[in-house]
Amino acid sequence: MKFVFNSIGIRFLLNLGVNNQLDLQTSVRVQLANLIAILGILSNIQYSILFTIAGAPYVWIMNLIHFTVVCTLSYILYLNKKEKYVTARILLVFTISVPLLFVSFVSFGNTGGFYYYFLVFALAPFVLFSYEEKFWILFVFFTNNLFYIWFEFFGKPGQFSLGTLLYEPYIQELFRINSVMSCLFFVALIMFYFLRNTNRIQKEMLRTNAHKDRIFSILAHDLKGPIGTMNSFLGFLTETLPERDELIIALKELKKSTNQSYLVLENLLDWVRNESKKNPTNLETLNLYSMIQNAKDILDLQATDKGIEWNVSVPSHLTVFCDERMISTVIRNLFSNAIKFSHPHGIVSIHAHQSGNYVELVISDLGIGMSKEQIKQMEEGKPFPTTFGTQGEKGTGLGLLVCTEMLKNQGCRMDVTSSPNQGTKITIQIPNSL
């Protein structure tokens, strides 16, 4: 079904004007407005053909009206594309009733049941407008109901010429049946689409609440420790006059806590940006060796304290085409994880080489590794429980998720090879500068 919709362009038309800056409820209203406009265009074309075949009174006037309405509904789609959503909705709720008024006043009267559509259009504003726009909801609702009451109780049957199809009572009845079935179909389709998107909104709310809880958990646990450590050492430094060796130890601990807090905050902010789709990508040609050295310098103290040795083999001339902030964050996270999950006095290897249109960066360690379940969760973008490093270092569980999303946003690829107690090898393919 999705393939069929994509092939005939329906999905494209339904999503005209929908962008990442809109909240989910507004996006649903825009899609529903597009859906009603599309149904209106198809319906007016259909009735224009049927009226011509059946010999409806004043058929050429009706065809002109149908043509005008089709053009207006097409313009409404254009307004949504240009993000003029309120104008599009107000114009839509008035435009869809225009052909009914002319059909009922000029051509059919209350024959054929076309005035039943007023009941359908009386419900349309409830799914098109928000509660804050209740004036338009009530105005359109009562206006369409008044039209329905008028034609139901005060309308007169249409006068049809002898020899035309519409002169036959059974053809008139077929038009009435068609009107009833079309009304039911339109209501069912709009409500089904609305329910589908209501379900999406509920899922989005659950996801947002889960993200909020995770953020509070990270702030409460993963930042509390490093900040508490910094507070303790700052108190020690301000209240005593430490010896040189004690001062160096305290400053090193402060630096470690600062780095840890910075990485936690950076991962948290990047994760929130990715989840809210507000993480712009700025691609440019960059020197890979420089970014690796910068990340290594930041984490050197963490590696030295654990006795970790770096094994770096990266040509100084290698360039990549990527976002500097994102790729630097990815490299820092992977280096930090390699140190965290390596055994004391282990080795973290970093190699890079040209491979076609990509530069392959390989980061490997001989640490505790990852299970197949963890790798699968990471590839599916699902958070997994926080794990501890070989010396009790704690992480947020967000680092690899952030890396995966950031690499995907830049057209990069990441492959993870790992098994418990056998170490981890992560290969990143980054587009080169060509």
Side-chain angles (χ1 to χ4, degrees):
M1 183 63 73
K2 288 183 178 180
F3 173 76
V4 174
F5 272 23
N6 288 334
S7 299
I8 61 178
I10 295 296
R11 185 173 295 275
F12 169 77
L13 293 175
L14 286 175
N15 287 291
L16 281 175
V18 177
N19 57 57
N20 292 334
Q21 305 305 314
L22 296 179
D23 60 80
L24 186 55
Q25 290 187 3
T26 305
S27 298
V28 169
R29 292 191 187 99
V30 173
Q31 289 176 328
L32 283 168
N34 290 335
L35 175 63
I36 293 173
I38 293 168
L39 291 175
I41 291 171
L42 297 176
S43 180
N44 276 271
I45 293 172
Q46 168 205 337
Y47 279 118
S48 182
I49 296 170
L50 288 177
F51 289 173
T52 302
I53 295 172
Y58 306 103
V59 65
W60 296 112
I61 295 176
M62 291 308 308
N63 283 342
L64 179 61
I65 293 167
H66 286 142
F67 176 76
T68 304
V69 170
V70 167
C71 291
T72 306
L73 292 173
S74 300
Y75 179 64
I76 288 167
L77 293 174
Y78 173 78
L79 287 175
N80 275 337
K81 182 181 179 182
K82 291 298 182 181
E83 301 179 8
K84 297 180 180 179
Y85 308 120
V86 176
T87 305
R89 288 199 295 268
I90 294 173
L91 186 58
L92 176 63
V93 293
F94 286 106
T95 302
I96 54 180
S97 298
V98 168
L100 295 182
L101 285 171
F102 279 93
V103 165
S104 302
F105 273 117
V106 175
S107 188
F108 276 75
N110 62 6
T111 305
F114 291 102
Y115 60 95
Y116 296 153
Y117 283 98
F118 286 120
L119 294 177
V120 177
F121 298 150
L123 300 175
F126 288 94
V127 296
L128 289 176
F129 293 96
S130 65
Y131 179 75
E132 288 73 20
E133 299 168 305
K134 50 185 174 290
F135 168 78
W136 291 111
I137 296 175
L138 296 175
F139 179 79
V140 175
F141 175 77
F142 285 117
T143 301
N144 279 279
N145 273 287
L146 286 173
F147 284 140
Y148 171 77
I149 291 170
W150 171 264
F151 288 108
E152 179 67 46
F153 297 103
F154 305 104
K156 297 180 180 179
Q159 300 297 316
F160 307 110
S161 301
L162 182 65
T164 61
L165 287 175
L166 275 172
Y167 188 79
E168 303 297 332
Y170 76 93
I171 295 294
Q172 297 174 20
E173 192 61 27
L174 285 176
F175 268 100
R176 182 179 294 275
I177 293 171
N178 179 72
S179 296
V180 172
M181 296 302 295
S182 296
C183 286
L184 291 174
F185 172 77
F186 288 161
V187 170
L189 186 60
I190 292 170
M191 294 309 297
F192 179 80
Y193 198 81
F194 181 74
L195 288 173
R196 169 183 172 272
N197 287 288
T198 300
N199 185 49
R200 285 173 56 199
I201 292 171
Q202 291 175 339
K203 288 181 178 178
E204 180 68 17
M205 289 175 63
L206 291 173
R207 191 174 71 91
T208 300
N209 286 333
H211 289 170
K212 179 192 69 176
D213 294 341
R214 190 170 184 83
I215 289 170
F216 286 149
S217 174
I218 291 168
L219 293 175
H221 298 97
D222 299 296
L223 283 179
K224 184 178 178 181
I227 292 174
T229 300
M230 286 189 280
N231 184 58
S232 298
F233 278 103
L234 286 172
F236 170 70
L237 293 175
T238 55
E239 293 172 7
T240 63
L241 188 62
E243 298 293 333
R244 183 177 182 279
D245 291 344
E246 292 176 329
L247 179 62
I248 291 173
I249 292 171
L251 290 175
K252 283 184 176 180
E253 289 299 322
L254 280 172
K255 183 172 174 59
K256 282 171 58 179
S257 296
T258 303
N259 284 343
Q260 186 178 349
S261 300
Y262 176 78
L263 287 173
V264 169
L265 276 175
E266 186 178 48
N267 285 339
L268 184 59
L269 290 172
D270 285 327
W271 181 62
V272 171
R273 286 194 198 102
N274 278 323
E275 291 297 319
S276 60
K277 310 299 183 185
K278 295 180 180 178
N279 203 7
T281 304
N282 180 29
L283 301 178
E284 55 184 326
T285 300
L286 302 166
N287 184 276
L288 181 61
Y289 179 80
S290 298
M291 290 188 288
I292 289 173
Q293 283 299 121
N294 289 338
K296 182 174 167 294
D297 291 342
I298 292 172
L299 297 167
D300 253 340
L301 182 60
Q302 181 181 336
T304 302
D305 282 353
K306 203 167 181 179
I308 301 296
E309 180 184 341
W310 299 100
N311 178 14
V312 181
S313 176
V314 179
S316 59
H317 66 276
L318 273 184
T319 57
V320 288
F321 190 66
C322 58
D323 183 292
E324 183 173 13
R325 181 185 62 81
M326 288 188 182
I327 209 68
S328 296
T329 299
V330 169
I331 292 171
R332 278 197 301 273
N333 268 290
L334 296 180
F335 284 8
S336 178
N337 281 348
I339 295 168
K340 185 188 305 179
F341 298 113
S342 288
H343 299 291
H345 308 291
I347 298 174
V348 173
S349 299
I350 304 157
H351 302 281
H353 62 274
Q354 190 80 36
S355 178
N357 294 328
Y358 291 89
V359 170
E360 285 196 352
L361 174 63
V362 182
I363 302 163
S364 56
D365 63 71
L366 300 174
I368 60 177
M370 298 172 64
S371 66
K372 291 181 179 179
E373 289 74 17
Q374 286 176 316
I375 294 174
K376 183 179 179 182
Q377 284 179 304
M378 181 198 70
E379 291 173 346
E380 293 175 352
K382 297 178 181 177
F384 43 82
T386 298
T387 52
F388 292 88
T390 53
Q391 289 189 335
E393 306 98 322
K394 190 178 180 182
T396 63
L398 292 178
L400 283 176
L401 292 181
V402 170
C403 291
T404 303
E405 288 300 316
M406 284 188 167
L407 290 171
K408 190 184 299 181
N409 291 343
Q410 301 173 83
C412 303
R413 305 170 188 168
M414 182 168 73
D415 179 64
V416 180
T417 304
S418 184
S419 56
N421 301 316
Q422 298 296 319
T424 301
K425 177 183 175 183
I426 296 179
T427 303
I428 304 174
Q429 289 186 327
I430 311 171
N432 59 29
S433 56
L434 298 177

